[in-house]
């Protein structure tokens, strides 16, 4: 597994989109958390995480995504994931992440769900 | 199509299994205990989608649970003290603890009461004791799951497995740490042994031994006492960080706090400050005997174990280490004693003529090879025969000792070579020393002896003087015998010139 991970952030009015690229493990998860926390601190509480370029999420990745969801819950925010592979979508569902966040087919639909 | 319930369970179990696999890799590959525990906790929380968790490690010495890592708690150090009831509870229970037990078991209520400032924040849905073979290593504390569903029995069973793995990992880190310390100690011991074994000077060995014992044992001070079996008496031979303690002080065995080290011939820890003399100003002591051929020849003792900013306790490990050091030192001290017997005159503690001549030849070769100067001072006590006849041989011996001690105090330790050459004739060989340096040293010795008081047999104060001749290679001679003759001639001139003086050989004294 190539140990490289990239995050790009696009801020829009009232929400932001985080694009991930790579394996969501310890390193990748930390980068997503860093980007999300910085947006939340700046007052953005509606987030889309576009995982089109991430095909694997491990247990630490799940743990970190749960942290982000909980932090948004505390401030009445919302998180929508989009462009998930079938495996990741299934994992999020069985692990219960979808009870407090949503999954959308693509970015447009995700933004519509915010 | 939505997955059916059994499919969800299987998928979830599969995800758990992959999480467990990741954890086992992390546990075996990460050597850093702090980041290791942090990663494992996160993996465990992610594997079971749990919001908050914490890993506490149990420290038996302080009976505390120390927070190693947490998720979802404020980032602050937490130490939970374990009351007796809670300590017994954890040592006799390896079952998972649910919310009911955590909040209602009497022993755990005691734990909560004793640590009231921390308890509200701690996760309390499920506690997994970290145990190996009945030994308690800590606690894995977990909150409810993210989706608020209760833990099912399979998940609890898997978390118990993780708990055992965490305990094994903590235990391994502890063993690894202990092993690293041991390796460090053994490396030090090896270095010290080399340093001690490379010397044949007993005083140097003993001084080095005390200093190294203090450093190796992490102590503040140390003393080496030689023990005389026939007189049943100790003599202080070297000290470390005791400025007021007199070298040479003698203490009878029965009056010494270390007597049981000699009688038992084993290492002893003295924990009670009342057992240690008040003037040593120490709380505890570790002492080991120096044993040679089944006889105690000395006792090495170190005082006040350093621990953080205070005083700790000497452990069995410290005792073993010091005993190992004492074992190494015993043969070095004995070798040095035998070497001294073979090379040093018992009365004056100066080298014998035979040993001096060997060293002289070596230094002459060295000086020629490197083109350096080599000086020789030959000295003779003025009117020694008359002195002996007037005051007796024992006073004569005292004069010899006084002159020898004065010479030893004046010369450079481990560089200049002093010797008793004949009855009252003494020599000092000075490597890498020119005429000026040699004349200064000779004059210093002459002056010190002239000024020294010597108690006479009838209570009177006696004085002696010496005459000295100095010669330097290559100015006065280029071979050892010739240099000796040049110094001898210069000494003769001092005698002829009225004694109590230093004379430098003349260039025309050169005979070789």
């Amino acid at each position: 597994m190539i140990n490289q991970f990239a995050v790009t952030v696009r801020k829009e009015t009232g929400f932001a989109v985080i694009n991930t690229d790579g394996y969501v493990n310890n390193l990748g998860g930390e980068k997503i958390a860093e980007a999300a926390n910085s947006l939340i601190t700046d007052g953005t509480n509606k987030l889309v995480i576009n995982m089109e370029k991430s095909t694997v999420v491990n247990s630490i990745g799940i743990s970190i995504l749960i942290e982000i969801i909980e932090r948004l819950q505390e401030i009445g925010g919302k998180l929508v994931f989009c462009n998930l592979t079938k495996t990741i979508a299934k994992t999020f569902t069985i692990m219960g992440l979808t009870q407090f966040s949503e999954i959308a087919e693509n970015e447009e639909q995700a933004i519509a769900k915010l | 199509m939505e997955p059916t319930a059994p499919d969800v369970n299987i998928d979830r179990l599969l995800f758990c299994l992959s999480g467990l696999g990741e954890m086992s890799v992390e546990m075996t590959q990460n050597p850093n205990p702090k980041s290791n525990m942090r990663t494992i906790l996160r993996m465990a929380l992610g594997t079971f989608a749990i919001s908050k968790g914490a890993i506490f490690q149990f420290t038996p010495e302080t009976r505390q649970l120390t927070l190693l890592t947490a998720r979802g708690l404020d980032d602050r150090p937490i130490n939970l003290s374990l009351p007796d009831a809670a300590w017994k509870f954890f040592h006799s229970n390896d079952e998972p603890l649910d919310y009911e037990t955590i909040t209602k078991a009497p022993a755990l209520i005691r734990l909560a009461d004793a640590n009231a400032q921390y308890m509200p924040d701690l996760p309390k849905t499920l506690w997994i004791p970290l145990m190996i073979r009945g030994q308690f290593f800590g606690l894995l504390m977990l909150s409810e799951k993210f989706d608020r569903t209760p833990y099912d029995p399979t998940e609890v069973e898997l978390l118990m497995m993780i708990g055992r793995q965490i305990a094994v990992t903590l235990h391994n880190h502890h063993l690894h740490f202990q092993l690293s310390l041991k390796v460090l100690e053994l490396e030090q011991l090896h270095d010290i042994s080399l340093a001690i074994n490379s010397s044949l000077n007993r005083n140097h060995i003993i001084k080095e031994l005390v200093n190294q014992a203090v450093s190796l044992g992490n102590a503040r001070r140390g003393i080496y006492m030689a023990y005389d079996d026939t007189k049943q008496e100790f003599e202080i031979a070297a000290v470390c960080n005791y400025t007021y303690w007199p070298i040479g002080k003698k203490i009878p065995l029965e009056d010494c706090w270390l007597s049981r080290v000699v009688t038992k011939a084993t290492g002893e820890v003295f924990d009670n400050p009342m057992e240690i003399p008040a003037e040593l100003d120490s709380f505890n002591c570790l002492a080991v005997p120096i044993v040679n051929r089944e006889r105690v020849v000395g006792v090495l003792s170190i005082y006040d174990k350093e621990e953080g900013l205070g005083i700790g306790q000497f452990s069995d490990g410290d005792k073993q280490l010091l005993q190992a050091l004492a074992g190494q030192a015993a043969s070095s001290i004995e070798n040095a004693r035998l070497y001294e017997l073979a090379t040093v005159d018992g009365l004056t503690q100066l080298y014998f003529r035979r040993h001096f001549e060997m060293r002289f030849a070596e230094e002459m070769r060295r000086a020629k090879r490197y083109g350096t100067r080599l000086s020789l001072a030959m000295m003779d006590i003025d009117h020694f025969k008359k002195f002996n006849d007037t005051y007796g041989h024992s006073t004569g011996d005292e004069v010899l000792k006084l002159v020898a001690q004065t010479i030893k105090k004046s010369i450079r330790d481990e560089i200049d070579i002093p010797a008793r050459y004949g009855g009252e004739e003494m020599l000092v060989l000075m490597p890498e020393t020119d005429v000026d340096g040699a004349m200064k040293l000779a004059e210093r010795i002459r002056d010190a002896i002239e000024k020294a008081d010597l108690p006479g047999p009838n209570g009177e104060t006696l004085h002696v003087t010496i005459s000295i001749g100095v010669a330097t290679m290559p100015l006065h001679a280029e071979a050892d015998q010739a240099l000796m003759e040049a110094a001898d001639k210069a000494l003769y001139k001092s005698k002829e010139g009225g004694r109590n003086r230093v004379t430098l050989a003349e260039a025309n004294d050169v005979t070789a």
Side-chain angles (χ1 to χ4, degrees), chain B residues 179-192:
Chain B
L179 192 65
S180 306
L181 278 183
K182 270 280 166 272
V183 168
L184 191 70
E185 285 171 352
L186 289 175
E187 280 175 1
Q188 271 183 297
L189 184 64
H190 177 251
D191 291 348
I192 294 167

Side-chain angles (χ1 to χ4, degrees), chain B residues 345-392:
Chain B
D345 171 50
L347 179 69
T348 59
Q349 295 295 305
L350 302 180
Y351 289 118
F352 285 131
R353 177 177 181 153
R354 211 172 85 81
H355 179 74
F356 177 83
E357 283 172 346
M358 240 165 53
R359 300 282 298 273
F360 190 15
E362 270 171 33
E363 290 301 336
M364 183 59 82
R365 276 196 299 274
R366 202 196 313 271
K368 281 184 178 167
R369 192 181 321 134
Y370 297 109
T372 53
R373 307 288 164 88
L374 177 66
S375 291
L376 176 70
M378 187 177 279
M379 30 198 115
D380 189 89
I381 301 170
D382 297 331
H383 304 299
F384 184 68
K385 190 174 176 309
K386 193 170 145 198
F387 206 95
N388 245 346
D389 293 344
T390 313
Y391 298 105

Side-chain angles (χ1 to χ4, degrees), chain A residues 30 58-59 67 70 95, chain B residues 12 22 42 47 51 71 146:
Chain A
E30 291 286 2
N58 79 348
S59 56
E67 282 176 45
E70 285 186 330
M95 298 306 289
Chain B
R12 194 157 182 158
E22 287 171 353
R42 288 204 143 179
T47 301
S51 298
R71 225 287 286 154
F146 178 64

Side-chain angles (χ1 to χ4, degrees), chain B residues 89 98-110 112:
Chain B
F89 180 88
D98 60 12
Y99 180 77
E100 283 288 302
T101 316
I102 294 165
T103 52
K104 301 219 168 99
L108 300 184
I109 290 175
R110 295 267 185 85

Side-chain angles (χ1 to χ4, degrees), chain B residues 28-149:
Chain B
T28 49
Q29 290 188 351
N30 185 343
N32 178 331
K34 187 96 184 158
S35 73
N36 192 203
M37 285 298 128
R38 185 171 181 268
T39 308
I40 287 168
L41 178 67
R42 288 204 143 179
M43 284 176 167
L45 299 183
T47 301
F48 298 93
I50 304 165
S51 298
K52 292 179 186 176
I55 298 175
F56 281 83
Q57 184 172 23
F58 177 61
T59 313
E61 293 80 16
T62 55
R63 273 204 188 183
Q64 281 187 332
L65 281 165
T66 304
L67 179 66
L68 291 182
T69 184
R71 225 287 286 154
L73 300 183
D74 283 348
D75 191 15
R76 58 171 172 162
I78 299 180
N79 284 302
L80 304 176
S81 57
L82 243 61
D84 275 355
W87 184 83
K88 282 180 192 148
F89 180 88
F90 285 123
H91 281 78
S92 57
N93 173 72
D94 59 0
E95 293 295 312
L97 310 170
D98 60 12
Y99 180 77
E100 283 288 302
T101 316
I102 294 165
T103 52
K104 301 219 168 99
L108 300 184
I109 290 175
R110 295 267 185 85
L111 174 71
D113 289 346
N115 302 282
Q117 73 272 37
Y118 300 120
M119 288 316 270
D121 294 339
L122 297 179
K124 286 185 277 293
T125 308
L126 181 66
W127 284 4
I128 308 282
L130 308 176
M131 312 278 285
I132 314 174
R133 280 181 245 115
Q135 203 183 339
F136 178 60
F137 278 86
L139 267 182
L140 169 62
M141 296 182 179
L142 301 168
S143 71
E144 60 185 353
K145 284 166 35 189
F146 178 64
D147 63 4
R148 311 289 188 262
T149 56

Side-chain angles (χ1 to χ4, degrees), chain B residues 247-277:
Chain B
I247 303 285
K249 179 184 164 82
K250 292 184 174 158
I251 307 169
L253 175 68
E254 68 267 22
D255 296 342
C256 185
W257 69 103
L258 298 173
S259 59
R260 74 170 193 254
V261 180
V262 173
T263 49
K264 289 185 181 176
T266 60
E268 293 279 322
V269 173
F270 299 78
D271 278 333
N272 181 358
M274 301 298 284
E275 286 185 275
I276 303 167

